[in-house]
Amino acid sequence: MKKKILLTIGSIIVILFAAGAGYVWWMYHSVASTAGDMYETSAGKGNHKAVTNKKPISLLLLGVDERQGDHGRSDTMIATTLNPNTKTMQMISIPRDTRTEIVGRGTYDKINAAYAYGGTKMAESTAEKFLGDIPFDFYIKINMEGMRDLVDAVGGVTVNNKLDWHDEGYYKKGYHYAKGQINLDTGAKAMGYVRMRHLDPQGDFGRNERQREVIMAIVNKMANVSSVTRYSQILDALGDNVKTNLTFDDMKNLAFNYRDARENMINYEVKGNGQMVNGVYYLVVDSAEQQRVHDMINEQLGNN
């Protein structure tokens, strides 16, 4: 009887081990497959050596509003740095109405027009020029509809709402976004939260702050997901909506060597003055502010 019990227990252990190994293989294969779907090099191949050597890196996060038959513009542009040595992540938002030179066209326009004119490559080149010729090691482009899918995939996110307002129709007309800590339990509700700007005294600045908040809430929620179902949904959402020149190996290195960068967050919004130029509204950023932002990024990259 004891021998039978031991054999039974041994069989269960073998089965559990095999199932675990199969699960690990499935996860690895699924993540690798999704990384392959996301990978592209429309704005360059990226600085893979920097990630391998655990150097501080810079990434351009682009949130684009692409729809069927519409190339769209980059409504969200965030210059991000990750420093594994200081365990710091810095996110600097560049407002979409910022007036700057559009690299490759030789004209001045709103910075979000660069993507409409020349895709990711022109958007990245224009942002680099605006920031004082600081190159980006990588870019990550997400269709803003993808944010909806990601919030649904992680099961909703919690944010600290600084305003009290009723939705104009981005989510559900009249829906009450109460001030204080609120749970955005669906992607549709989250999109209503990040798209509102007319009722915000800070306009685009307030909207950009909410976008950064939701992005970080998604990242933090993803880091704590343990459900197989959630993993599948997250991978589907990423594969359908995100494009990047980070390879699968880069992502593995980031996951293991840069994860502590979330311990210290620095958020900043490029500042300027709203002006009408030839009948068009722009945010005009002076040279002192551009230099300030340039120095902030350089400091995080260890170049000062």
Side-chain angles (χ1 to χ4, degrees), residues 128-269:
E128 288 177 348
K129 178 78 172 179
F130 174 76
L131 295 170
D133 297 319
I134 294 179
F136 288 104
D137 295 308
F138 300 98
Y139 68 85
I140 301 173
K141 182 186 76 171
I142 178 171
N143 187 340
M144 290 305 287
E145 289 301 310
M147 186 179 289
R148 179 198 308 265
D149 295 340
L150 282 169
V151 170
D152 282 334
V154 299
V157 295
T158 299
V159 296
N160 183 28
N161 184 24
K162 296 180 179 179
L163 297 172
D164 191 286
W165 88 88
H166 290 83
D167 185 52
E168 298 175 290
Y170 292 108
Y171 168 51
K172 289 180 181 177
K173 190 171 179 62
Y175 179 80
H176 184 208
Y177 285 93
K179 185 176 181 179
Q181 191 174 87
I182 58 174
N183 181 33
L184 305 174
D185 56 355
T186 68
K189 195 179 293 185
M191 292 305 291
Y193 180 75
V194 301
R195 280 184 162 157
M196 186 279 283
R197 64 176 177 137
H198 297 122
L199 301 177
D200 191 327
Q202 297 187 79
D204 268 344
F205 291 98
R207 184 174 69 166
N208 288 342
E209 184 178 349
R210 288 193 297 278
Q211 288 174 345
R212 290 195 302 269
E213 182 184 21
V214 170
I215 289 171
M216 285 311 303
I218 292 171
V219 169
N220 290 330
K221 194 76 177 283
M222 286 171 63
N224 295 302
V225 165
S226 58
S227 164
V228 176
T229 303
R230 291 289 180 207
Y231 271 128
S232 297
Q233 289 179 286
I234 290 169
L235 292 175
D236 287 343
L238 290 172
D240 291 341
N241 297 290
V242 177
K243 295 297 179 185
T244 180
N245 55 355
L246 286 161
T247 65
F248 181 44
D249 284 340
D250 293 330
M251 294 178 192
K252 287 189 293 182
N253 284 325
L254 284 174
F256 286 109
N257 300 323
Y258 292 76
R259 63 179 180 272
D260 291 339
R262 291 185 298 122
E263 289 183 10
N264 300 292
M265 281 292 304
I266 300 172
N267 285 298
Y268 188 77
E269 181 97 18

Side-chain angles (χ1 to χ4, degrees), residues 13 96 98 117 128-129 160 190 207 211 270 292 296:
I13 291 172
R96 65 178 189 168
T98 300
Y117 291 135
E128 288 177 348
K129 178 78 172 179
N160 183 28
R207 184 174 69 166
Q211 288 174 345
V270 174
R292 181 180 297 111
M296 287 176 66

Side-chain angles (χ1 to χ4, degrees), residues 60-72:
L60 178 65
L61 302 184
L62 286 174
V64 301
D65 199 4
E66 292 179 319
R67 295 170 187 172
Q68 191 70 30
D70 181 9
H71 188 58

